[in-house]
Amino acid sequence: MYPEHTPNAPAVRAPEVHHPTPITPAAPYAAPLVPVQPHGVPAVASVVLPDGRVVTGYAMNPLQPEPAAAKPVVSRAAVNVALGGVGFLAVCGGLLLLTTFITALTALITQLITLAAVIFGGWIALQIFSSNRHGTGTTVNIRKAVIKRNKFYS
């Protein structure tokens, strides 16, 4: 099907054409359906009557009702509802814990921000009110001066 790998140019081959062969039925007509017994053929029984006659036929077992299926003590629907309730309670407990955690985290962040504001505000207040008492500021006395072309002359 594939050309051979040779150093020479490959030879041109004629394409192969495959024609499908039609399937012909073995019989020109459909086979008749034959009824099939579901359980096989039972044994033939013969009975001799008191007057000497012989009766031949199939022995039949009396029909017995199918045993009633034993019902479970608890229905499946009740079990499913109970399991659904247990799952719902588990989810609600987890959500309650999650909301409690978020509330506690929010309170902590609020307290940290308030603490930082109090400390920073106190530090600013100390800077403002303590600068006049200690006299640590720099005093500059400015005399008459002439400023021309960005140069300072005293």
Side-chain angles (χ1 to χ4, degrees), residues 58-100:
Y58 295 109
M60 294 182 61
N61 295 331
L63 291 177
Q64 296 185 3
E66 294 184 16
K71 290 186 177 181
V73 177
V74 180
S75 68
R76 289 185 180 184
V79 171
N80 290 337
V81 169
L83 289 177
V86 170
F88 182 73
L89 286 177
V91 169
C92 287
L95 289 176
L96 181 64
L97 288 176
L98 183 64
T99 54
T100 305

Side-chain angles (χ1 to χ4, degrees), residues 13-116:
R13 294 185 184 178
E16 296 178 14
V17 179
H18 297 281
H19 297 286
T21 306
I23 299 174
T24 56
Y29 53 89
L33 295 176
V34 178
V36 178
Q37 300 261 343
H39 299 292
V41 179
V44 176
S46 297
V47 177
V48 179
L49 296 175
D51 60 353
R53 292 182 297 163
V54 177
V55 178
T56 305
Y58 295 109
M60 294 182 61
N61 295 331
L63 291 177
Q64 296 185 3
E66 294 184 16
K71 290 186 177 181
V73 177
V74 180
S75 68
R76 289 185 180 184
V79 171
N80 290 337
V81 169
L83 289 177
V86 170
F88 182 73
L89 286 177
V91 169
C92 287
L95 289 176
L96 181 64
L97 288 176
L98 183 64
T99 54
T100 305
F101 175 75
I102 291 173
T103 305
L105 188 63
T106 305
L108 176 68
I109 291 173
T110 304
Q111 289 177 358
L112 288 177
I113 291 172
T114 305
L115 179 65

